[in-house]
Amino acid sequence: MSDQGSSNKPLSAQRARRGALRFARFAASFVVAVVVINSPALARSFQEEVQHRKQIIPILGTTFDRDRKPIGVVAQLQVSVASRKDRNGMEVTFESNPGRFSIRAQVAVVTAINRAARLAGLNTDSWSVSLTVPYEGVTIYGESLSAMVGLTVVALAKGDFIKPARVLTGTVTRDGHIGAVGGISLKLAAARDQNLRRVLVPEEYDIADGDWETPFLLQVSPVGTVTTAYEALTDRPLEAAGPSDPPLAED
């Protein structure tokens, strides 16, 4: 018994020393892990992967009532912009549920996004854009929503947002102007009924529209260029970013 007791003491001390060594190694590895996780390079890679912004915006359009008379309507869209790590080109997803977009509307929106981004000096190669119509069975036709959507995408990519109760109807032309669209008087009436406060319309009017009056308590602002329209929608300038600036960079 005495021999077993004396032989166990050095073994216990040895185990204790081994345990202390293992704990020290664990503690050291934990400190290294904390340093790595808090390194700026890794933190930036995490941010690039999770950067994502979205906004629900109003759009103006026209349709027909039960008597087949044209009327203006205000609808809403959800616009979402995320930044990927790759540079494989812009991806635009037009969700087909609950509502959907016509082919013509899709083409106009993609064109407007590309033109607006170019004017802002932004690289779209890593953008993933998603658009949703939150109305069951509704299809969005036409091109007049395209400037509003294009400038919203650029705003989200820059860290800006469209101000509440403001809306733009029009297209984005190749030379950076807001292109003319029809049904302005009907759209203004709908905007007033839905309590929108400011409507931006193209300086260039559609001849078929004729004359129209500004509804009471509604601010109507004719805009000629994308730069002017962006500032009116966001209260921020459309500043050109440097070629190396990543999209969706945090302010």
Side-chain angles (χ1 to χ4, degrees), residues 188-247:
L188 293 180
R192 175 203 58 202
D193 293 343
Q194 294 298 317
N195 298 315
L196 296 181
R197 293 194 295 270
R198 188 176 186 184
V199 179
L200 310 180
V201 299
E203 282 184 346
E204 180 184 353
Y205 296 151
D206 188 330
I207 298 178
D209 265 354
D211 296 330
W212 47 266
E213 296 182 358
T214 301
F216 183 62
L217 296 180
L218 182 67
Q219 181 182 0
V220 180
S221 304
V223 290
T225 67
V226 168
T227 299
T228 303
Y230 186 89
E231 293 180 0
L233 286 172
T234 65
D235 289 340
R236 299 287 298 272
L238 185 68
E239 296 175 349
S244 61
D245 294 341

Side-chain angles (χ1 to χ4, degrees), residues 34-113:
V34 171
V35 172
V36 171
I37 290 174
N38 286 285
S39 67
L42 191 57
R44 282 195 299 270
S45 69
F46 285 156
Q47 289 176 358
E48 289 174 0
E49 189 170 13
V50 301
Q51 284 175 1
H52 177 273
R53 295 191 181 95
K54 63 182 178 180
Q55 185 174 13
I56 295 176
I57 59 169
I59 59 169
L60 300 178
T62 59
T63 187
F64 295 94
D65 63 13
R66 294 180 178 179
D67 298 324
R68 301 299 298 170
K69 293 182 179 179
I71 58 172
V73 292
V74 178
Q76 290 186 328
L77 295 181
Q78 179 174 290
V79 182
S80 173
V81 183
S83 178
R84 307 186 312 273
K85 288 185 177 181
D86 63 74
R87 294 281 181 174
N88 295 333
M90 182 174 67
E91 299 175 354
V92 182
T93 302
F94 295 89
E95 303 293 346
S96 56
N97 285 302
R100 60 193 309 165
F101 298 82
S102 70
I103 297 299
R104 181 183 177 188
Q106 293 181 33
V107 172
V109 164
V110 172
T111 300
I113 294 172

Side-chain angles (χ1 to χ4, degrees), residues 11-25:
L11 184 59
S12 297
Q14 188 178 15
R15 287 177 177 173
R17 286 195 299 270
R18 289 178 178 174
L21 181 59
R22 283 196 298 268
F23 178 80
R25 289 174 177 170

Side-chain angles (χ1 to χ4, degrees), residues 58-62 73 77 104-105 108-109 112 140-150 167-172 178-184 187 200-202:
I59 59 169
L60 300 178
T62 59
V73 292
L77 295 181
R104 181 183 177 188
V109 164
I140 302 295
Y141 293 95
E143 303 175 346
S144 64
L145 80 159
S146 59
M148 181 66 176
V149 175
V167 67
L168 164 68
T169 183
T171 64
V172 176
I178 301 299
V181 292
I184 296 295
K187 294 174 182 177
L200 310 180
V201 299

